[in-house]
Amino acid sequence: MNNKKLASAILLLSTLVIGACGNGGNSAATSSSQEIESSVESTQSESVYQNMYDESVVLYESGKYSEAGGTLELLLQNDLSEYEELETKALELKEKITAAQVETAKEEPVNEVVEDSEYKDERNSVLVSQEYSDETGKDIATVSDEELASWLTEKEETKQTETVTEESESAASESEMTAEEEENYVLDQVIAQTGISPSENQFFTSKIGEDTYQIEIRHSHEVDGVEISNMIGMFEYSLSEDQVKRMNPVTGKYEVVAPQ
């Protein structure tokens, strides 16, 4: 608010100078206003970027490497050329996080199942793991690929059957979207409002209410022969509010995402 008041005050002062000096001051006033706006935006961006870096440090020191790595990846997707010191620190922290992830993965026997699996993304997903546990009572990290494949196939067949039924009902009533159309719409909104690329990340969804979805976004890549899966973010989207929220991985609370 103070920045806006300051901008208004300086703009008013420029107007008074114009009145005294003639029309030649128009370009100077416009230039001054633009410089102020640019300065404010730069300060706000630096604050946001610094907060993301600080959040990553806290997560890293807490041993939450997946969340720390994901937050850093979001930070480094931005143009940090004006903030070289911050960019350098972020890249150094990313190296530390990756090294810790590789070491941890090699020390935990359960990761051997994941490393050899054709379903690494599904096994690393919090939402898929929880759903599998709820429906089967088993840990997705320990079951065979055959067992997991059977469950995924059954799940997809059920979804397709429900979609065909809903499409028939929708055609008759000419009203609501089918479950598949609704899910696709939700994903489109999350991508549009967060600016997170669907081509470089994995998206997992779960409907948790009448019109609310939970969306998990991860980025997987291999380092030294070890599969690393970073949590880019856990999001919620409400159809009625048309609003995306991201879970703060430090506090566990959902916060509204400013649209890109």
Side-chain angles (χ1 to χ4, degrees):
M1 251 340 213
N2 290 335
N3 287 328
K4 290 183 178 179
K5 290 180 179 178
L6 176 62
S8 299
I10 294 178
L11 187 57
L12 175 59
L13 178 59
S14 300
T15 305
L16 293 176
V17 172
I18 292 170
C21 300
N23 293 332
N26 278 335
S27 60
T30 302
S31 176
S32 175
S33 176
Q34 290 175 341
E35 288 175 1
I36 293 167
E37 290 179 5
S38 176
S39 177
V40 170
E41 289 176 0
S42 179
T43 301
Q44 291 174 337
S45 295
E46 184 174 12
S47 176
V48 170
Y49 298 155
Q50 184 64 52
N51 286 339
M52 293 177 74
Y53 173 77
D54 292 341
E55 182 180 288
S56 299
V57 172
V58 172
L59 292 166
Y60 168 65
E61 293 177 345
S62 302
K64 297 181 178 180
Y65 304 135
S66 172
E67 292 85 349
T71 301
L72 266 187
E73 287 191 28
L74 276 180
L75 169 60
L76 292 169
Q77 285 177 12
N78 296 284
D79 180 7
L80 302 180
S81 57
E82 294 183 15
Y83 317 101
E84 292 183 6
E85 183 179 351
L86 179 60
E87 184 176 28
T88 298
K89 291 195 299 182
L91 289 170
E92 290 174 350
L93 180 58
K94 183 178 180 181
E95 287 184 7
K96 292 180 181 179
I97 292 170
T98 300
Q101 287 176 303
V102 171
E103 184 179 353
T104 301
K106 289 180 177 179
E107 289 177 351
E108 296 181 2
V110 70
N111 283 295
E112 294 179 6
V113 177
V114 179
E115 290 303 319
D116 297 331
S117 176
E118 294 182 12
Y119 303 97
K120 292 184 178 68
D121 294 336
E122 288 80 3
R123 290 180 187 276
N124 284 317
S125 166
V126 174
L127 293 183
V128 176
S129 298
Q130 185 60 55
E131 186 175 358
Y132 186 80
S133 177
D134 290 343
E135 293 187 7
T136 68
K138 299 178 181 179
D139 184 349
I140 197 172
T142 61
V143 299
S144 67
D145 265 12
E146 290 73 17
E147 194 169 350
L148 180 54
S150 178
W151 178 76
L152 290 169
T153 299
E154 183 179 344
K155 182 179 170 64
E156 183 61 29
E157 289 175 348
T158 300
K159 182 178 179 180
Q160 290 178 355
T161 300
E162 291 175 348
T163 298
V164 171
T165 302
E166 289 171 346
E167 285 177 344
S168 299
E169 294 174 351
S170 179
S173 61
E174 297 183 355
S175 56
E176 300 180 354
M177 294 183 286
T178 66
E180 185 176 15
E181 290 171 340
E182 185 176 272
E183 183 177 356
N184 289 335
Y185 174 80
V186 168
L187 290 174
D188 287 341
Q189 294 307 305
V190 171
I191 291 168
Q193 294 190 36
T194 63
I196 297 175
S197 170
S199 63
E200 301 173 357
N201 304 290
Q202 299 82 46
F203 288 65
F204 304 94
T205 63
S206 176
K207 192 168 186 178
I208 59 174
E210 184 68 26
D211 74 340
T212 304
Y213 281 78
Q214 199 168 24
I215 303 93
E216 175 185 1
I217 305 178
R218 305 189 75 91
H219 177 72
S220 298
H221 58 287
E222 193 173 288
V223 179
D224 295 337
V226 175
E227 181 78 8
I228 301 297
S229 178
N230 283 330
M231 172 70 83
I232 298 298
M234 186 71 78
F235 299 84
E236 277 190 3
Y237 177 79
S238 167
L239 287 159
S240 58
E241 297 178 356
D242 186 27
Q243 189 177 70
V244 177
K245 295 180 181 179
R246 175 178 179 262
M247 179 189 287
N248 183 315
V250 176
T251 65
K253 296 180 179 180
Y254 279 93
E255 301 168 352
V256 176
V257 173
Q260 296 294 304

